[in-house]
């Protein structure tokens, strides 16, 4: 038996086998490769960048790429995946997810880079985990060359993707700029439970509900995740330990696993933007205003000392200061009240696809109804030139009522999340098997989307984001993934959400292309 290669992700270490994965904000993550580490070590990759300096070239992180539709291993996987489940469980490995991806450090294929990725808590590995990995690898023989997959075992959790305290970047507020505080926000922007600071998610988009019982009128709602509308209290950090500051809303939030029955969610108000993002924006604008005041003060002194060249710059600095003060006042006075939770799914395993259902409908105030516009995705596609076909996206999303997600496996897609704005990716041909603590005793089969060019498809805060194809069709809604986010994101097909809403509420859901 070969000695497995080890590494830790999430922070830099001095070990030759240490890998800087690019996720410095993530917890320390132990990784084992079997039968050995195929990726270049720090010592192999580091080299002097200049003859006159001691600078070192950055380490290439291990990136994830999707499995192709015509890959011969796709059929093999359907035959062996349950055997792999049994093998891991026989060896006491309490696995959380089992996936198959291409994993490599270069954008171009390196040949045999197809990898079986297993996540399991380190405490369950035991002393004989190498035997389990070897048996799993032996099952993956495929093709005429009888190739075996490499196995990657990760000490990692499967999580939802709300933006919790401690997971935000310093640049997030400045990237959001002023658009988060719009009276009529569009899709892909921030939403959260009123008075709750520690969790925020994304408005997927807007839908219309039609009652099947003959009731007249229409009901317009924002669609997001259940865990955004009813976040778990595990998100609370030591910085804000006291539950009393959130009463009486917290009494509802504590019931995180329960579905919201239509007509009973009025006591669960929602904010837009979420309080977390609102406070971050105020902090950022405060800093911008202070910087502008210092600039004005310095230029005023230079002008007083006879520096005529500073006069024009002083006028510009005063305009900048005035603009910062106006923005701060607008955000400070902004009414965050957005609506109330009309209904939500709780956490349910879909009987049709085997994936997790995790949706919530927020009934919006009439004066805050937005549009399902795809402007941000069109802009990113044009600027970054990532997908030529996406430059022709329609201005608003399409209303097609039936889409078979199985026909869109290995398809190019884009998601609009409040954390990442717009990111492009490809649907992995092989679904990921998942066990979640929210659904004990059940194994889910999740559709996974992998970001283009090794980039994360989504980050914490993108929960609830809709996923579109190049024609503007809504394919699904993103809800979570593996903890670091470097192995794609889980997506629930929109048809499954539509069917579940009808079954649980008695309302037919229609995606809006525009709102009168």
């Amino acid at each position: 038996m070969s000695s497995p290669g080890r590494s830790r992700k999430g922070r830099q270490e001095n070990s030759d086998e240490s890998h800087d994965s690019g996720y410095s904000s993530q917890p320390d993550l132990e990784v084992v490769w079997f039968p050995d580490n195929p990726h270049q070590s720090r010592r192999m990759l580091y080299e002097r960048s200049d003859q006159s300096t001691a600078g070192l070239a950055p380490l290439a992180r291990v990136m994830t790429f999707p499995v192709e539709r015509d890959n011969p291993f796709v059929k093999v996987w359907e035959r062996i995946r349950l055997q792999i489940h049994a093998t891991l469980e026989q060896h006491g490995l309490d696995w959380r997810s089992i996936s198959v991806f291409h994993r490599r450090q270069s954008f171009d294929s390196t040949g045999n880079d197809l990898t079986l990725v297993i996540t399991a808590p380190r405490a369950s590995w035991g002393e004989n985990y190498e035997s389990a990995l070897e048996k799993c690898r032996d099952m993956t023989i495929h093709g005429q060359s009888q190739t075996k997959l490499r196995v990657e075992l990760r000490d990692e959790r499967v999580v939802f993707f709300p933006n919790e305290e401690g997971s935000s970047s310093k640049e997030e507020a400045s990237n959001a700029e002023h658009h988060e505080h719009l009276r009529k926000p569009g899709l892909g922007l921030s939403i959260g439970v009123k008075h709750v600071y520690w969790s925020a998610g994304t408005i997927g988009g807007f839908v219309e509900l039609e009652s099947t019982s003959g009731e007249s009128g229409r009901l317009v709602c924002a669609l997001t995740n259940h865990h955004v509308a009813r976040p778990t209290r595990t998100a609370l950090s030591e910085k804000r330990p006291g539950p009393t500051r959130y009463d009486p809303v917290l009494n509802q939030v504590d019931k995180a696993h329960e579905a919201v029955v239509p007509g009973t969610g009025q006591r669960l108000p929602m904010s837009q933007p979420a309080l977390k993002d609102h406070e971050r924006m105020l902090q950022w604008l405060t800093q911008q205003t202070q910087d502008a005041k210092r600039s004005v003060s310095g230029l005023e002194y230079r002008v007083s000392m006879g520096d005529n060249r500073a006069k024009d710059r002083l006028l510009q600095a005063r305009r900048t200061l005035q603009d910062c003060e106006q923005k701060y006042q607008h955000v400070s006075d902004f009414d965050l009240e957005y609506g109330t939770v009309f209904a939500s799914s709780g956490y349910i395993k879909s009987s049709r696809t085997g994936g997790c259902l995790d949706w919530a409908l927020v009934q919006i105030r009439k004066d805050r109804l937005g549009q399902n516009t795809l402007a941000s995705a069109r802009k990113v596609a044009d600027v970054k030139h990532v997908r030529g076909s996406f430059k022709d996206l329609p201005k608003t999303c399409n209303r097609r009522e039936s889409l078979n997600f199985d026909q869109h496996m290995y398809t190019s897609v884009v998601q609009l999340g409040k954390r990442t704005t717009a990111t492009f990716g490809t649907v992995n041909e092989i679904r990921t098997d998942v066990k979640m603590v929210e659904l004990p005793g059940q194994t889910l089969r999740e559709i996974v989307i992998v970001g283009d060019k090794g980039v994360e498809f989504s980050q914490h805060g993108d929960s609830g984001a809709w996923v579109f194809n190049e024609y503007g069709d809504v394919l699904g809604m993103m809800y979570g993934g593996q903890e670091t986010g470097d192995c794609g994101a889980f997506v629930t097909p929109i048809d499954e959400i539509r069917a579940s809403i009808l079954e649980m509420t008695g309302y037919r859901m229609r995606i809006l292309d525009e709102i009168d």
Side-chain angles (χ1 to χ4, degrees):
M1 183 182 299
S2 303
S3 176
R6 288 177 176 270
S7 177
R8 283 185 179 272
K9 293 187 177 184
R11 67 181 182 187
Q12 288 188 345
E13 295 187 352
N14 294 324
S15 167
D16 290 342
E17 296 298 325
S18 174
H19 286 256
D20 177 8
S21 65
Y23 304 103
S24 58
S25 63
Q26 298 294 347
D28 199 24
L29 173 65
E30 184 170 354
V31 180
V32 169
W33 284 275
F34 186 87
D36 52 32
N37 185 352
H39 309 295
Q40 293 175 297
S41 69
R42 185 177 300 278
R43 178 172 295 172
M44 292 168 63
L45 277 177
Y46 273 136
E47 56 187 23
R48 294 189 183 278
S49 58
D50 188 274
Q51 293 292 336
S52 61
T53 68
L56 296 177
L59 176 67
R61 63 182 178 88
V62 182
M63 298 177 289
T64 301
F65 299 88
V67 179
E68 310 86 345
R69 179 171 297 169
D70 58 354
N71 193 296
F73 187 73
V74 172
K75 294 181 179 179
V76 176
W77 177 246
E78 289 304 312
R79 188 178 71 247
I80 68 171
R81 68 178 192 86
L82 294 181
Q83 299 175 39
I84 288 178
H85 292 190
T87 299
L88 295 175
E89 289 161 6
Q90 288 169 6
H91 286 76
L93 267 168
D94 185 19
W95 63 272
R96 292 290 186 265
S97 68
I98 303 175
S99 315
V100 179
F101 302 109
H102 291 286
R103 296 273 289 158
R104 57 180 183 262
Q105 289 175 293
S106 62
F107 293 119
D108 298 325
S109 176
T110 58
N112 186 24
D113 54 23
L114 205 59
T115 305
L116 175 63
V117 181
I118 302 168
T119 66
R122 182 64 180 88
S124 74
W125 289 12
E127 296 181 357
N128 298 319
Y129 70 87
E130 293 178 27
S131 175
L133 301 186
E134 184 175 36
K135 290 182 179 180
C136 289
R137 184 170 185 258
D138 288 341
M139 296 178 197
T140 65
I141 294 177
H142 66 285
Q144 295 181 351
S145 60
Q146 296 293 286
T147 305
K148 295 181 182 179
L149 268 63
R150 202 168 302 273
V151 183
E152 182 178 344
L153 177 62
R154 301 156 62 105
D155 174 21
E156 189 175 15
R157 300 179 302 158
V158 172
V159 297
F160 299 123
F161 277 172
N163 197 179
E164 300 173 355
E165 188 169 5
S167 65
S168 61
S169 65
K170 292 181 180 179
E171 296 81 13
E172 189 174 351
S174 60
N175 290 341
E177 294 182 342
H178 204 42
H179 69 276
E180 287 282 2
H181 289 75
L182 295 174
R183 291 306 309 161
K184 296 184 176 183
L187 54 81
L189 296 186
S190 167
I191 190 173
V193 179
K194 189 177 181 180
H195 305 309
V196 171
Y197 177 89
W198 41 265
S199 184
T202 295
I203 298 172
F206 306 104
V207 300
E208 184 180 51
L209 302 181
E210 178 187 1
S211 175
T212 57
S213 62
E215 297 180 14
S216 60
R218 67 173 186 169
L219 184 64
V220 177
C221 293
L223 182 63
T224 186
N225 287 139
H226 168 84
H227 71 264
V228 172
R230 306 198 85 167
T232 61
R233 284 190 57 197
T234 55
L236 277 170
S237 72
E238 294 180 358
K239 296 179 181 178
R240 293 174 178 264
T244 55
R245 72 177 283 121
Y246 306 118
D247 285 340
V249 175
L250 194 61
N251 293 331
Q252 291 288 316
V253 176
D254 275 335
K255 300 178 181 179
H257 292 74
E258 298 181 10
V260 175
V261 179
T264 63
Q266 285 76 13
R267 291 168 55 193
L268 195 60
M270 302 294 289
S271 295
Q272 197 293 314
L275 181 60
K276 176 185 182 71
D277 295 310
H278 175 70
E279 290 191 9
R280 187 184 295 116
M281 178 61 73
L282 286 174
Q283 293 170 2
W284 181 75
L285 288 173
T286 297
Q287 183 62 51
Q288 294 293 106
T289 302
Q290 291 173 349
D291 292 345
K293 286 181 177 179
R294 282 192 290 269
S295 178
V296 168
S297 178
L299 290 169
E300 286 177 340
Y301 175 76
R302 289 176 57 181
V303 171
S304 69
M305 296 298 293
D307 186 353
N308 293 327
R309 293 177 300 177
K311 288 183 178 180
D312 290 340
R313 291 179 59 190
L314 176 58
L315 291 175
Q316 180 61 43
R318 284 173 174 168
R319 285 194 291 267
T320 300
L321 174 58
Q322 183 180 21
D323 184 55
C324 288
E325 290 174 338
Q326 290 175 348
K327 286 184 177 181
Y328 181 89
Q329 193 63 44
H330 169 76
V331 172
S332 179
D333 296 340
F334 195 82
D335 182 5
L336 301 179
E337 186 176 338
Y338 187 60
T340 56
V341 177
F342 174 72
S344 72
S345 62
Y347 302 117
I348 310 171
K349 179 179 178 179
S350 168
S351 60
R352 303 171 186 84
T353 64
C356 180
L357 288 166
D358 175 10
W359 55 262
L361 293 163
V362 179
Q363 189 170 357
I364 312 167
R365 283 173 38 178
K366 291 183 179 180
D367 62 332
R368 299 212 63 190
L369 297 180
Q371 300 284 338
N372 282 335
T373 58
L374 301 176
S376 58
R378 288 159 57 93
K379 179 179 179 181
V380 172
D382 184 58
V383 173
K384 293 187 176 181
H385 306 290
V386 287
R387 292 280 189 187
S389 58
F390 279 97
K391 295 180 183 179
D392 298 323
L393 270 172
K395 293 182 179 180
T396 59
C397 61
N398 288 330
R399 293 169 50 175
R400 260 205 273 183
E401 293 299 310
S402 181
L403 287 167
N404 184 352
F405 209 113
D406 288 334
Q407 297 176 359
H408 291 81
M409 301 299 278
Y410 204 64
T411 295
S412 299
V413 296
V414 60
Q415 69 99 3
L416 300 179
K418 76 105 178 171
R419 181 75 182 275
T420 53
T421 306
T423 50
F424 297 81
T426 302
V427 184
N428 197 44
E429 185 66 23
I430 294 179
R431 301 193 184 204
T432 293
D433 294 346
V434 177
K435 289 182 178 178
M436 301 180 66
V437 295
E438 290 78 10
L439 290 169
Q442 300 193 56
T443 299
L444 306 172
R445 298 204 68 192
E446 297 295 351
I447 295 169
V448 180
I449 300 179
V450 178
D452 283 350
K453 301 179 181 178
V455 175
E456 295 176 358
F457 183 70
S458 62
Q459 298 180 14
H460 291 268
D462 291 336
S463 281
W466 282 1
V467 176
F468 303 86
N469 63 13
E470 62 189 46
Y471 305 108
D473 298 319
V474 183
L475 298 183
M477 183 166 67
M478 200 280 299
Y479 80 87
Q482 294 174 3
E483 191 170 13
T484 56
D486 66 334
C487 283
F490 302 153
V491 175
T492 306
I494 196 66
D495 280 355
E496 290 302 300
I497 296 172
R498 182 183 287 110
S500 177
I501 289 174
L502 177 61
E503 181 179 328
M504 295 185 66
T505 70
Y507 284 84
R508 294 190 184 92
M509 186 194 86
R510 180 176 69 89
I511 293 172
L512 292 176
D513 53 359
E514 61 181 57
I515 298 175
D516 297 330

